Structures are given as C-alpha cells and as structure tokens.
Amino acid sequence: ASANMSAQPVPVPTASEFTVAGFNIENFQNDETQRRKAALAIRQVLHDPDVLGHVEILNLASLQALADQVNSDAVAAGDLNPQYVAQLVPASPSATQNVGFLVKTSRVQIDEVSQEGAGETYVNPLNGLPETLHDRPPLVLKATVTMPGISPRRVIAVVNHLRSFIGIELIGGDGLRVRAKRTAQAESTANLLQALQSANPGVPVISIGDYNAYEFNDGYTDPIAILK
C-alpha cells in the first residue's frame, strides 16, 4: 500500500485563452461523493475549462447536477460563477453511458448541439448483416467564444466514446466483430471531423473524449492513426 497519487493541475488559463478538456468520470450516476469529487477536479485540477466533454454519463439530469455543483462550489469559494450548463443527447432510451458537454456560458455561447451518426451501421463479419455502429454516437457542439479584447470566435468541439478493447484479442468469433467495429467507428468519426472542417473553413474543430485506443498501433486496430 502507498499514499494516494495527487493530480497535476493544468496551467491556470489567462483571460484571453480558450480552454477545452475531456473527462471520463466512469459510470457517473450523480452519486453525491462522486459528484463532489468530480466538481473539485473540474475547479482545482482543470481550472474550469470553457468547454468540457464528458464520457460515461447516466443522463442529462446527472450532468446538470454536476454543473450546478461546480457553479455553487465556485460561488461558495468566492470565485466567479462559471455558469456551466449541461448538454447531453441520450444514445438510446436505455443507455447508461452517454457523452455530453459542460459549457461555461459566462464566456461561451451555445449555438448548436447535435448527435451525429446515430443511424450509421457496419457489417458484422460474423453474420454479414448490418448492425448499429455507434453505441455512443459523437456529440457536436458549435459555439461562439467571447474573450476580453478579442472579437467573438466560433469553435466546434466533438466528444467521442469509441468501442472498448474487450474481446479484441480473440482470434476468431467475436474478435472479428470487435476489430471490424472499432475500425469502422474510427473511420466514421474521421469522416465526421473532415466534414466539419470542410463545411466550416477557418473554424477550429476540436476532437475530445475516450477513444479507447493507444497513440500507437495496438496490433489489432489503429483508431488514432485513422483519425489523424
């Protein structure tokens, strides 16, 4: 046993810097202890990013409760209220792991939030039939940032949660399906990012989230290379 590890906070942003972060809270269901600890991390480790892409969130109510916790804790500490607002579109009526955003509306105007790729399919190599591609479809935030002394700027953020490694090492059977799905998800997400760049020239497109992938080829699939 050893002492708990401590987080290394990101640099404190200046007033003229726009900041984006990703945060997988892992099965966040608005448990009070979990919510308070996550709010503390957002405030003291991430330093209240302007846009925060979240992964593994139960529902919109849970994410809004986290936003309210961060806002109230900031005021109680004598800091400015970041006025975080939650944005989340459920992957399905029964989904317990969704992606969403916290947006600091004291500095960021939400222009549009859309779920992309929910109807996409891929061919399952085990049966040759089309099946749902995205268990957690990408969520796209289009926003306008206002900073002191700088003209308002448009930004686009995309939060992703790609399929896990589970079963990837199986030589046959479900391993074939997992590898095909991971590759197809990466290709779909790459096409989405390319389309956003092409349709919005000059606007930063920022991809965040949990890619369930290494920065190098894992020997089975290479989602990051596909995205890049």
Side-chain angles (χ1 to χ4, degrees), residues 144-199:
T144 302
V145 184
T146 302
M147 296 178 287
I150 300 175
S151 299
R153 286 202 60 183
R154 293 176 57 216
V155 297
I156 297 173
V158 185
V159 61
N160 313 277
H161 187 188
L162 275 59
R163 199 206 181 279
S164 73
F165 282 102
I166 296 173
I168 196 173
E169 78 286 354
L170 299 175
I171 300 302
D174 204 44
L176 297 172
R177 181 188 67 86
V178 171
R179 293 190 287 274
K181 187 169 185 175
R182 282 172 57 85
T183 299
Q185 280 187 347
E187 291 170 345
S188 169
T189 305
N191 286 331
L192 170 62
L193 296 174
Q194 183 65 57
L196 289 169
Q197 289 179 331
S198 299

Side-chain angles (χ1 to χ4, degrees), residues 20-60:
V20 180
F23 192 174
N24 184 342
I25 312 183
E26 298 188 352
N27 293 308
F28 180 71
Q29 301 185 15
N30 197 26
D31 169 80
E32 182 178 5
T33 299
Q34 187 185 39
R35 185 182 69 248
R36 289 183 177 275
K37 292 176 73 173
L40 192 65
I42 291 169
R43 292 180 52 245
Q44 296 190 358
V45 179
L46 300 178
H47 292 313
D48 294 335
D50 295 307
V51 172
L52 184 51
H54 281 288
V55 173
E56 294 196 16
I57 306 298
L58 175 62
N59 52 30
L60 178 59

Side-chain angles (χ1 to χ4, degrees), residues 194-209:
Q194 183 65 57
L196 289 169
Q197 289 179 331
S198 299
N200 301 274
V203 178
V205 177
I206 306 162
S207 179
I208 53 179

